[in-house]
Amino acid sequence: MREINYENYFWQDEEVRLRAIQTEDWEGHYYNRFDTPGRRLLECAVELPPTVAEAKSFVEQNIDFSNPGRMMFTIETLQGVNVGGINLNHIDERNGTFSIGIQIDRDFRGKGYGTRAMRILLRYAFLERRLHKFNDSVLEGNEASAAMMRKLGCVQEGIRRSVIYTNGKYHDFILFGMTKDEFIEKHKDLLFQG
């Protein structure tokens, strides 16, 4: 197979690249399931013990963008190291709204990979899909995700009080949002790259 020239590739920046999930990505999904604190912040619950079969099934369901309700990507460094996953979901074409889910593997958190991947996917959603409003929520206590939302330019729009029960108590959801115009204003430097 020929070497790929990524010089003008839309789905990357100076450090990370988004790519389609591949069959071998089941291992990353499987090992991430052992990070209970991280998974609790993402899924808002303690999951059952992971299985290889579930991990392989997850990849199979989301390979080649085959899940109609969710566009799943693997996040990798430009050197090809898998650092996590990201997905575009809850797409409402009529109203132009959407959400994004993201998980950075434990060993790669705090290095800016998540923020970079989010910018790439937001650029796609706003400038290619013509979507108008990004809506998301962060579980109370997930300070890293809340900081990333603010860094991206999201506005805290409210709090849904006591809606998630995990770890023996009720937790709030912190609601964040950003319009296309707000994204363009904050990220002018990204608009017409790639």
Side-chain angles (χ1 to χ4, degrees):
M1 187 193 242
R2 287 176 37 182
E3 187 173 330
I4 298 170
N5 180 347
Y6 288 106
E7 188 176 322
N8 296 311
Y9 191 54
F10 178 90
W11 296 100
Q12 70 180 22
D13 70 4
E14 299 81 26
E15 291 190 34
V16 300
R17 177 178 300 126
L18 305 187
R19 65 163 171 79
I21 291 179
Q22 298 169 354
T23 305
E24 60 271 13
D25 290 333
W26 73 267
E27 287 186 66
H29 178 75
Y30 177 72
Y31 288 110
N32 274 322
R33 296 285 306 277
F34 289 92
D35 178 13
T36 300
R39 295 294 295 179
R40 185 192 303 265
L41 292 175
L42 179 67
E43 296 297 332
C44 302
V46 171
E47 299 168 310
L48 293 174
T51 67
V52 170
E54 181 278 329
K56 288 182 176 181
S57 174
F58 172 84
V59 167
E60 191 61 37
Q61 291 170 14
N62 292 289
I63 204 163
D64 296 329
F65 308 106
S66 54
N67 184 336
R70 181 172 288 189
M71 296 177 66
M72 302 287 295
F73 300 83
T74 295
I75 305 166
E76 65 180 17
T77 66
L78 298 188
Q79 294 73 38
V81 177
N82 181 336
V83 299
I86 191 168
N87 66 77
L88 185 64
N89 61 66
H90 294 101
I91 300 167
D92 179 341
E93 299 284 354
R94 181 179 179 279
N95 294 303
T97 60
F98 66 99
S99 188
I100 293 175
I102 185 169
Q103 178 175 338
I104 300 298
D105 299 353
R106 180 178 13 200
D107 296 340
F108 299 101
R109 292 181 191 146
K111 300 180 186 322
Y113 296 140
T115 303
R116 290 177 168 282
M118 287 285 293
R119 282 188 192 123
I120 294 167
L121 200 50
L122 286 166
R123 181 170 54 134
Y124 171 73
F126 286 133
L127 302 181
E128 300 301 319
R129 294 289 300 263
R130 296 185 196 149
L131 297 172
H132 172 71
K133 176 85 185 306
F134 167 63
N135 295 307
D136 219 335
S137 58
V138 173
L139 186 65
E140 167 190 10
N142 190 346
E143 299 303 326
S145 289
M148 179 181 67
M149 291 293 163
R150 290 182 186 98
K151 185 175 183 179
L152 287 166
C154 294
V155 175
Q156 183 176 329
E157 297 181 333
I159 296 174
R160 291 184 60 210
R161 298 175 302 123
S162 298
V163 294
I164 298 297
Y165 185 83
T166 186
N167 204 22
K169 66 178 196 165
Y170 285 94
H171 300 269
D172 298 342
F173 259 148
I174 303 165
L175 307 178
F176 287 95
M178 179 170 39
T179 66
K180 177 181 177 179
D181 291 341
E182 290 167 338
F183 176 78
I184 289 170
E185 180 62 31
K186 174 82 175 172
H187 302 282
K188 291 176 190 171
D189 58 321
L190 298 176
L191 293 187
F192 301 106
Q193 293 178 357

